[in-house]
């Protein structure tokens, strides 16, 4: 009995442990994955954390059942522009059967690793803000500027009911924000890299046209042949960028990434595709990401001259999904 009592005591103390790691794991245990993220419970948890370190909190229901949580640490000069730290509440879906540990158990392994969906993207940031403030407050620090932390919903599905509504709200305007820090890349060391620009996402469609022909004939300038030549050239470029990452000379975000996303060609038949005709059109789509350090005109020239050249009867379309922000 005494031994059992000891264990019960040990585990109950252990489960109520209040350390940064324990608090982080508790936050990870809320299932915030799409398509049905739980927003209410993590928000009550964050509010209780905010209360415990003396931050003000308010919940904005800009969209029903998609709350934005706002925490505030008043500065000594509230007339100055404030500082806003943002993070999102939601996570991408997880397939539990493909995980070594349940995605919302926040299992801590003996080697110190914590397994949870959303741990890096971006629940660690959410908790780091609070832990940093907790430490600063314990040292008696009072910020000059007011500091706000926002926890927004729906970032992983475009943020239309989250950030997009928040930044156009009267409540946001009242914050008088002068500087915002948002999520970035998780760090494996003690340093925290801050980025002030984001990669520019492009969609690229290249299309080849050429005379159709019988499947038995070899001739030049077929649409499929020309498209495949471009795919080869693009694949070489992709490898040249990926090699730099593999050699440890750059981060993923510092090279031009290009990845094929679709191929469209062939003449459909009831059983699949006509197998003895070379089609007159073939198309491929790519996802490109340009770091702010890359000149977009150089990539455009490369696309025009090598990836979708008119001399191979090709056309292309670049869909610029956002400007390079620098
Ligand atoms: Zn994220």
């Amino acid at each position: 009995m005494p031994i059992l009592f000891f264990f019960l005591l040990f585990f109950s103390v252990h489960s109520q442990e209040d350390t940064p790691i324990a608090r982080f794991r508790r936050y990870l245990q809320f299932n915030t994955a799409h398509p049905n993220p739980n927003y209410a419970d993590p928000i009550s948890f964050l509010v209780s954390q905010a209360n415990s370190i003396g931050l003000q909190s308010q919940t904005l229901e800009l969209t029903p059942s998609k709350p934005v949580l706002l925490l505030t640490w008043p500065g000594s000069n509230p007339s100055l522009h404030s500082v806003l730290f943002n993070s999102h509440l939601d996570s991408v879906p997880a397939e539990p059967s493909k995980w070594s540990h349940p995605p919302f158990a926040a299992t801590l392994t003996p080697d110190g690793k914590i397994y949870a969906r959303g741990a890096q993207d971006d629940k660690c940031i959410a908790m780091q803000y609070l832990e940093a403030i907790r430490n600063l407050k314990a040292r008696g620090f009072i910020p000059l500027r007011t500091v706000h932390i926002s926890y927004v919903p729906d970032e992983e599905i475009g943020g239309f009911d989250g950030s997009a509504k928040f930044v156009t709200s009267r409540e946001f305007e009242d914050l008088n924000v002068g500087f915002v820090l948002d999520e970035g890349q998780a760090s494996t060391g003690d340093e925290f890299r801050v980025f002030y620009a984001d990669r520019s996402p492009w969609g690229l469609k290249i299309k080849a046209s050429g005379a159709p022909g019988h499947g038995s004939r070899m001739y030049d300038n077929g649409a499929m042949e020309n498209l495949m030549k471009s795919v080869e050239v693009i694949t070489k470029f992709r490898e040249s960028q990926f090699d730099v990452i593999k050699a440890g000379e750059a981060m993923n975000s510092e090279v031009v990434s290009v990845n094929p996303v679709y191929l469209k060609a062939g003449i459909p038949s009831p059983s699949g595709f006509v197998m003895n005709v070379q089609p007159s059109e073939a198309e491929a789509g790519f996802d490109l990401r340009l770091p702010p350090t890359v000149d977009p005109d150089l990539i455009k020239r490369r696309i025009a001259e090598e990836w979708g050249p008119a001399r191979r009867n090709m056309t292309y379309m670049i869909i610029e999904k956002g400007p390079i922000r620098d």
Side-chain angles (χ1 to χ4, degrees):
M1 279 304 276
I3 290 170
L4 180 65
F5 177 72
F6 169 77
F7 275 116
L8 287 174
L9 188 71
F10 176 78
F11 282 112
S12 68
V13 166
H14 213 65
S15 64
Q16 286 161 20
E17 199 184 27
D18 205 24
T19 62
I21 294 295
R23 291 189 285 267
F24 179 41
R25 289 177 65 204
R26 255 185 284 155
Y27 186 50
L28 293 174
Q29 284 161 357
F30 299 110
N31 185 338
T32 50
H34 287 283
N36 292 307
N38 175 357
Y39 289 139
D41 293 331
I43 283 186
S44 0
F45 169 75
L46 291 168
V47 168
S48 73
Q49 290 301 305
N51 289 340
S52 76
I53 50 178
L55 299 179
Q56 303 163 4
S57 64
Q58 60 169 315
T59 308
L60 312 174
E61 285 265 347
L62 303 169
T63 307
S65 56
K66 294 188 173 182
V68 172
L69 173 65
L70 193 60
L71 306 180
T72 299
W73 185 17
S76 58
N77 187 348
S79 66
L80 295 175
H81 284 300
S82 67
V83 175
L84 174 67
F85 297 129
N86 182 62
S87 90
H88 58 88
L89 294 158
D90 54 326
S91 325
V92 293
E95 290 177 80
S97 64
K98 301 200 171 132
W99 282 61
S100 53
H101 302 279
F104 292 98
T107 306
L108 174 61
T109 56
D111 57 352
K113 289 181 180 150
I114 297 171
Y115 290 79
R117 166 57 87 223
Q120 289 191 5
D121 184 10
D122 87 86
K123 289 179 174 172
C124 63
I125 313 245
M127 293 307 287
Q128 282 166 37
Y129 293 149
L130 290 175
E131 298 299 341
I133 292 174
R134 188 187 297 272
N135 287 341
L136 287 168
K137 280 198 151 217
R139 282 187 232 152
F141 179 84
I142 296 166
L144 178 64
R145 294 167 189 274
T146 294
V147 173
H148 302 284
I149 316 180
S150 50
Y151 294 91
V152 295
D154 283 14
E155 192 266 356
E156 299 290 5
I157 53 169
F160 305 104
D161 286 335
S163 288
K165 284 196 180 165
F166 177 45
V167 297
T168 52
S169 68
R170 188 185 49 76
E171 289 88 345
F172 180 81
E173 206 179 323
D174 289 347
L175 301 181
N176 188 26
V177 172
F179 177 84
V180 181
L181 194 64
D182 198 4
E183 68 176 299
Q185 285 183 330
S187 169
T188 50
D190 283 341
E191 75 282 358
F192 192 84
R193 288 164 47 122
V194 175
F195 297 85
Y196 59 89
D198 202 355
R199 289 193 298 172
S200 182
W202 285 6
L204 171 67
K205 296 178 175 185
I206 57 171
K207 189 171 172 180
S209 312
H214 195 274
S216 63
R217 265 186 68 217
M218 301 266 255
Y219 59 94
D220 276 330
N221 272 320
M224 286 295 275
E225 184 205 0
N226 280 336
L227 184 78
M228 289 196 300
K229 274 185 188 159
S230 286
V231 168
E232 253 174 60
V233 174
I234 295 170
T235 304
K236 283 220 174 76
F237 175 82
R238 183 183 182 280
E239 276 169 14
S240 74
Q241 300 292 299
F242 203 6
D243 281 350
V244 177
I245 300 171
K246 288 176 184 165
E249 288 163 13
M251 306 270 285
N252 201 45
S253 54
E254 292 168 329
V255 303
V256 178
S257 71
V258 49
N259 290 304
V261 290
Y262 76 84
L263 285 168
K264 198 166 99 183
I267 299 161
S269 78
S271 58
F273 289 94
V274 175
M275 292 301 290
N276 60 354
V277 175
Q278 302 183 54
S280 60
E281 283 186 347
E283 194 179 308
F286 298 86
D287 178 303
L288 263 86
R289 307 280 158 141
L290 276 63
T293 45
V294 165
D295 179 356
D297 288 336
L298 287 180
I299 302 297
K300 282 183 182 164
R301 202 180 312 154
R302 188 182 279 273
I303 292 169
E305 289 172 5
E306 298 174 23
W307 296 5
R311 66 173 186 280
R312 285 206 301 267
N313 290 332
M314 298 190 69
T315 54
Y316 63 85
M317 192 204 284
I318 298 170
I319 304 147
E320 293 185 40
K321 294 183 217 160
I324 289 180
R325 283 147 289 184
D326 197 352

